[in-house]
Amino acid sequence: MNAYKDKKIVAVGGGHGLGRILAALKGFGGNATGIVTTTDNGGSTGRIRHCQGGIAWGDTRNCINQLITEPSVQSMMFEYRFKGTGELDGHNLGNLMLTALDNLSVRPMEAIQLIRDMLKVEVNIVPMSEHPSDLKALSCDGKWVHGETSVDEMRQDLQRLDLEPEVPATSEAITAINQADCIVLGPGSFLTSIMPPLLLPEIGHAILENQTAKLIFIENLSPEYGPAGRMGIKQKLEWCERACRGRKIDVIIGDTPHPELESEWNFFKADLASPNRDWRHDREKLMRAIVEQFDN
């Protein structure tokens, strides 16, 4: 690990999967950056967006939670979730804190920086955009479905995924990609965590332009449901590469080889499962699998 600590790594995705990757890369400190999806419209995040507007903060909060190293009153506050029968039931205080900073006209990037400083989080957290946008999908029967939660529940397969409205990527995300030695896609919900940032033209173009970075796709350990669960690995890789303007994925990391992909993609077999929860990626195993790619 020490031999590679100066390498710059960018990971793209949503809450749980991206948080796991960033926790695995914690040893890289400020040389690791997470570009976080901001299109969630479910749960506490969705309720806040419905009445307050703004970007979705839930995935960002989830990533920060997984990077907290020193338990404190501040961290307990940030992670606190209200219970009861009133309007606060189910709301996470971290989401409300970030929303409050946004309402005070603090840039979302600056709001995240304030929270990172408070919680002593070194890894960079960058929203894909500072402007609110929602996911929409075109089903194979020609109907548009709006909202991330609705996309996840689609009974029809989809032929296209878009953002509405189209918004600019954060300049910090583009700079991180330009400087990266390694770019990681996944693990996580394919359509609602991994794809949304790639749908921003500047992000796809930046990944294309950085030909020296190793582009890695990390598979999930458990199957997805809904339309993403009906997509094969080849289709997912093709969707990523199309969004990245044809940039080829250099290596797929997973626990089950795909012989049918051998002619088009390199596969790196690795045991990534946590010993006590085989559906969750182990941080140490993830870190080792990613670091090994610098030598391949």
Side-chain angles (χ1 to χ4, degrees), residues 23-291:
L25 299 175
K26 194 157 49 180
F28 286 82
N31 282 330
T33 299
I35 298 177
V36 190
T37 292
T38 57
T39 53
D40 188 11
N41 69 333
S44 170
T45 295
R47 290 164 59 197
I48 292 171
R49 291 189 72 194
H50 180 71
C51 65
Q52 295 281 327
I55 65 173
W57 286 111
D59 285 358
T60 297
R61 175 192 53 76
N62 197 316
C63 289
I64 293 173
N65 279 349
Q66 294 195 53
L67 288 165
I68 294 171
T69 53
E70 297 180 22
S72 62
V73 173
Q74 292 96 317
S75 67
M76 286 190 291
M77 285 174 55
F78 191 70
E79 296 176 40
Y80 181 76
R81 189 176 293 274
F82 291 92
K83 296 181 177 66
T85 57
E87 290 185 10
L88 283 176
D89 179 39
H91 273 309
N92 187 284
L93 185 54
N95 288 342
L96 296 173
M97 291 166 70
L98 288 162
T99 301
L101 289 167
D102 197 9
N103 288 348
L104 289 168
S105 298
V106 177
R107 260 190 81 197
M109 272 300 307
E110 292 172 358
I112 294 168
Q113 185 62 50
L114 285 167
I115 296 295
R116 283 178 55 224
D117 288 346
M118 180 182 81
L119 299 175
K120 299 179 173 59
V121 169
E122 292 184 25
V123 172
N124 298 299
I125 307 289
V126 179
M128 70 182 214
S129 178
E130 294 182 296
H131 301 269
S133 185
D134 284 296
L135 204 58
K136 68 174 185 177
L138 181 63
S139 68
C140 288
D141 62 358
K143 294 178 182 176
W144 283 101
V145 174
H146 296 262
E148 192 173 289
T149 54
S150 298
V151 171
D152 259 339
E153 295 167 0
M154 286 175 65
R155 295 181 181 275
Q156 288 274 346
D157 290 343
L158 54 90
Q159 57 178 309
R160 179 172 174 172
L161 200 61
D162 277 317
L163 295 174
E164 187 177 64
E166 187 175 302
V167 291
T170 49
S171 59
E172 289 85 354
I174 303 307
T175 299
I177 292 170
N178 290 341
Q179 297 175 352
D181 297 297
C182 175
I183 302 167
V184 179
L185 308 178
S189 303
F190 180 72
L191 295 172
T192 56
S193 291
I194 298 167
M195 282 301 299
L198 302 182
L199 296 174
L200 296 172
E202 305 102 310
I203 286 183
H205 184 73
I207 293 174
L208 169 66
E209 289 296 300
N210 187 348
Q211 291 291 324
T212 58
K214 180 144 300 193
L215 184 57
I216 298 172
F217 184 93
I218 298 182
E219 285 195 86
N220 292 339
L221 293 174
S222 56
E224 286 197 74
Y225 299 96
R230 299 190 294 270
M231 296 176 71
I233 180 65
K234 185 174 189 290
Q235 188 180 9
K236 291 179 180 178
L237 298 174
E238 290 171 345
W239 275 48
C240 289
E241 291 183 350
R242 187 162 62 244
C244 296
R245 305 298 191 268
R247 168 73 151 88
K248 198 71 179 169
I249 291 172
D250 295 301
V251 63
I252 304 154
I253 300 177
D255 61 352
T256 306
H258 302 278
E260 73 277 12
L261 303 181
E262 288 178 358
S263 62
E264 294 184 65
W265 289 280
N266 296 317
F267 185 84
F268 182 83
K269 186 179 185 302
D271 169 24
L272 300 175
S274 175
N276 55 348
R277 291 183 176 89
D278 59 6
W279 48 267
R280 177 185 286 177
H281 290 77
D282 181 85
R283 296 185 185 95
E284 286 296 318
K285 293 176 180 178
L286 264 177
M287 186 270 291
R288 285 198 299 269
I290 292 170
V291 165

Side-chain angles (χ1 to χ4, degrees), residues 1-10 28-33 179-182 291 294-295:
M1 167 66 191
N2 289 336
Y4 305 104
K5 65 181 179 181
D6 292 330
K7 297 287 188 181
K8 293 182 182 292
I9 301 183
V10 169
F28 286 82
N31 282 330
T33 299
Q179 297 175 352
D181 297 297
C182 175
V291 165
F294 289 119
D295 294 325

